Structures are given as C-alpha cells and as structure tokens.
Amino acid sequence: MNILVVHGPNLNLLGMREPGIYGTFTLERINGAIAELAAELGCTVSFVQSNSEGSLVDAIQQASGGFDGILINPAAYTHTSVAIRDALAAVALPVVEVHLSNIHRREEFRHHSFIAPVAVGQISGFGPDSYLLGVRALFNHIKKEIVTQA
Ligand code: DQA
C-alpha cells in the first residue's frame, strides 16, 4: 500500500511558525514520525510540500495510478481552493484531511473546508498526532476497501 502525504503552504515553516498554535515540531520531524508509523503498519509513504496551489494540483494529479490514498493538510488552501478539491475529486483516491490546529474553534474563515466534501474524513486539532491518526484512519479505510473489492 502506498500513501501520498501532501503538505500545503507555510507548513515548511513548522517549528518556528506561530508555535503557540502549530507547536514546535518541524515538518521533517512530523514526516519522520509518519514514516515510522507507516513502516510499523507495513505501507510506504511519500511526501510532498508546496507553497503553490498549482504544484499541489500537479502532485495530486500525478498520484493517480501510483498511490492508494492521499493524506493531505491543505493548510490555508483548505479554505479557498476549488482547484485542489477538484484535483482530489478527479483522481478519486480515498483522501483524509488533517489539520494540526482545530480549525473549527479558530477564526470563522477557517471553519469552512472546500476539501472536506471530497474526503473520507477530517482530523483536526491534535497537533502532529492529527497526521498519525490520519495515517491510521486512511490505512484502515484502504484495507477495508481492498477486502470489499475482493
Ligand atoms: C492548518 C489550519 C489552516 O487554517 C492554516 O491556514 C494552516 C494550517 C492546520 O494544520 O492547523 O496553515 O491547516
């Protein structure tokens, strides 16, 4: 099983970016923890981070064929991007949306997600654990899909 982990804009700054909200873990450290969990579960993970909407759309389009599911923190594009939502809908892979912070208890403009309607589910508010919970949820979801299709 291959999972693509997609990180949106400004997540490359984790560790020094608003640590009161996003914590002190760097993206590298989060990716390391995801890779460790993936090895434990017996799946492979690849990572992509971009600050640009078009590059994220390209990465999602390229996931078709090579990956069984997408774990995505679309960051600010969560609240603005029809293009990322359409790309996810187009590739038709199972998607889990994650956020470090609880977007629903923050500013009102963060309450709406363009991504949620094309995702299996959303995990929000658990810091780096959101990613780890997301990997487990996506892994279990894909496994169930494989059993149902067999
Ligand atoms: C975020 C929440 C978004 O509202 C914000 O724009 C981010 C990070 C999170 O992980 O909590 O950049 O996706």
Side-chain angles (χ1 to χ4, degrees), residues 11-83:
L11 295 173
N12 55 314
L13 298 181
L14 285 178
M16 54 192 216
R17 173 192 181 204
E18 299 184 87
I21 296 173
Y22 299 117
T24 53
F25 277 38
T26 61
L27 190 60
E28 206 184 347
R29 193 160 166 202
I30 290 174
N31 284 347
I34 294 171
E36 250 177 54
L37 174 61
E40 232 175 76
L41 294 171
C43 66
T44 60
V45 273
S46 302
F47 301 97
V48 57
Q49 188 278 326
S50 179
N51 295 323
S52 118
E53 190 175 18
S55 302
L56 293 167
V57 168
D58 288 342
I60 292 163
Q61 286 185 8
Q62 283 157 20
S64 186
F67 291 92
D68 302 294
I70 298 176
L71 183 81
I72 185 166
N73 182 348
Y77 289 136
T78 306
H79 320 297
T80 63
S81 182
V82 176

Side-chain angles (χ1 to χ4, degrees), residues 9 11 17 22 73 75-76 79 99-101 103 106 110:
L11 295 173
R17 173 192 181 204
Y22 299 117
N73 182 348
H79 320 297
H99 299 281
L100 294 151
S101 62
I103 57 173
R106 297 185 61 195
R110 295 185 203 275

Side-chain angles (χ1 to χ4, degrees), residues 3-9 11 14 17 22 27 30-31 34 37 47-48 70-79 88 95-104 106 110 113 115-116 119-139:
I3 291 175
L4 179 65
V5 179
V6 180
H7 303 286
L11 295 173
L14 285 178
R17 173 192 181 204
Y22 299 117
L27 190 60
I30 290 174
N31 284 347
I34 294 171
L37 174 61
F47 301 97
V48 57
I70 298 176
L71 183 81
I72 185 166
N73 182 348
Y77 289 136
T78 306
H79 320 297
L88 292 169
V95 174
V96 171
E97 175 187 349
V98 299
H99 299 281
L100 294 151
S101 62
N102 181 350
I103 57 173
H104 302 286
R106 297 185 61 195
R110 295 185 203 275
S113 167
I115 309 306
V120 179
Q122 183 194 71
I123 298 166
S124 177
F126 296 97
D129 280 346
S130 290
Y131 284 95
L132 302 179
L133 293 165
V135 169
R136 280 188 191 279
L138 184 57
F139 176 83

